Amino acid sequence: MRLIGLDIGGGMVKGGYFSDKDLLQVFSKRTKAKAGLDSVYGGIKETVAALIESQGKPDGLGVACCGDIHEGVIKQAINVPCLNGFPIKEKLIQEFGLPVFLINDAAGALYGEIQEMEVVGNVTLLTFGSGVGSASLIDGVIHQESPYDFGHFPLVEGGLPCLCGRNGCAEVYLSAKGLSRMASRRYGRPIGCPDLLDDYRNGDPLAKKIVEDYCALLKKLLSQVKKTVGEGLILLGGGLMGAKDVFAPYLSSKDTKGIDFAKLGNRAGIIGASELARKGLSNL
């Protein structure tokens, strides 16, 4: 079975072309949510078209997409508001003439991660990128609704406003944007996460203090996740957690038992989306 798996995030569309479970090719395209729907959907179309041109028409298309997905429509994408109300499933079917299977991006990444596990119990995946996504596999069912929407857990009382309309959400502080905001305020100049992490690795004391403060908030969120999901594995994924060497030393205490870093990195979403399509086609 030949499949394309798509992962649509806040600033990037990633696609993978699979033959059975072998990943043949990866293509990615940066998008600008602030530029509107044409930029984001244009990146989606370009990614799928490039993979088809290179590898041929697949049997189906799996899509892991940011936002609240319902009946093929993106009801709300907090970090990519231009997608709100967009009938993505219908549009992709019309565009490419393929069966399309759709899932939220964090749920898709979780679906990808569990493909690598020999024994699967209760698993929660937290993704740290342009936002903070979450999905929990509880007794074989994936949950994302409250109280499992950990990106919008009120982490800081009376904290900064979140795009969801509430204040102090975990997403505001623990996303890559949140870490960059914290660092820029402390440095007194704009600084992105890659530069901050490089400063940390080079022994900069201010960078170390910023990472320490970030991880203190992260531990607070992880404590809440444990209270909500009970026993089970918690995985940390998304682009920011690719810096395992930076964050792991702060998460090795007994308070963080049962917590690990996701194994598939930024390919979790495309793998999960392709597996969703495989399962969907098998059930047709």
Side-chain angles (χ1 to χ4, degrees):
M1 191 178 293
R2 298 171 75 83
L3 302 164
I4 288 177
L6 278 187
D7 182 5
I8 304 168
M12 176 83 73
V13 179
K14 296 186 289 290
Y17 196 104
F18 295 80
S19 177
D20 294 325
K21 295 197 175 186
D22 293 328
L23 178 58
L24 302 183
Q25 185 176 352
V26 174
F27 184 90
S28 62
K29 177 71 176 179
R30 288 200 173 276
T31 59
K32 294 182 179 180
K34 291 182 179 179
L37 182 60
D38 287 347
S39 173
V40 178
Y41 187 59
I44 295 169
K45 290 193 296 183
E46 183 177 339
T47 300
V48 177
L51 291 170
I52 291 176
E53 182 178 359
S54 175
Q55 302 293 335
K57 191 169 183 177
D59 300 301
L61 175 61
V63 182
C65 183
C66 56
D68 178 19
I69 313 294
H70 183 66
E71 295 184 353
V73 177
I74 303 171
K75 293 297 185 182
Q76 185 182 39
I78 290 174
N79 291 299
V80 193
C82 63
L83 289 176
N84 290 348
F86 185 62
I88 187 170
K89 182 174 182 177
E90 177 186 342
K91 291 291 187 182
L92 288 172
I93 291 173
Q94 291 174 353
E95 192 80 40
F96 297 104
L98 294 168
V100 174
F101 304 89
L102 193 61
I103 193 171
N104 167 270
D105 58 346
L110 173 59
Y111 199 60
E113 289 290 340
I114 64 178
Q115 307 304 316
E116 302 294 307
M117 298 180 184
E118 294 183 6
V119 178
V120 179
N122 290 350
V123 184
T124 293
L125 173 66
L126 303 174
T127 60
F128 300 84
S130 58
V132 175
S134 63
S136 297
L137 181 72
I138 307 294
D139 298 328
V141 178
I142 291 180
H143 296 272
Q144 292 187 286
E145 72 285 354
S146 180
Y148 300 97
D149 183 7
F150 297 112
H152 297 284
F153 168 71
L155 189 66
V156 177
E157 185 176 355
L160 295 170
C162 179
L163 291 175
C164 74
R166 289 171 285 192
N167 284 28
C169 291
E171 179 165 290
V172 176
Y173 295 90
L174 297 179
S175 64
K177 290 180 181 178
L179 178 56
S180 177
R181 183 192 303 111
M182 181 192 300
S184 297
R185 188 177 69 249
R186 302 273 188 92
Y187 275 82
R189 58 178 173 83
I191 182 168
C193 291
D195 289 338
L196 171 70
L197 297 174
D198 284 345
D199 285 351
Y200 176 91
R201 294 181 179 109
N202 290 328
D204 181 75
L206 180 55
K208 181 179 180 182
K209 183 64 171 65
I210 292 168
V211 170
E212 287 175 349
D213 291 346
Y214 175 90
C215 287
L217 288 173
L218 177 58
K219 285 186 179 183
K220 183 177 178 181
L221 177 63
L222 293 174
S223 176
Q224 178 61 33
V225 174
K226 284 188 171 185
K227 289 177 183 176
T228 303
V229 302
E231 293 295 323
L233 176 64
I234 301 172
L235 295 175
L236 307 180
L240 188 55
M241 290 299 145
K244 179 179 177 180
D245 61 308
V246 173
F247 299 113
Y250 297 94
L251 302 174
S252 59
S253 71
K254 64 179 181 180
D255 295 331
T256 53
K257 182 180 179 182
I259 296 167
D260 200 358
F261 287 80
K263 301 294 188 285
L264 296 179
N266 62 9
R267 294 190 175 184
I270 62 173
I271 292 171
S274 70
E275 288 300 316
L276 177 75
R278 186 187 316 282
K279 182 177 179 181
L281 287 169
S282 298
N283 291 335
L284 290 179

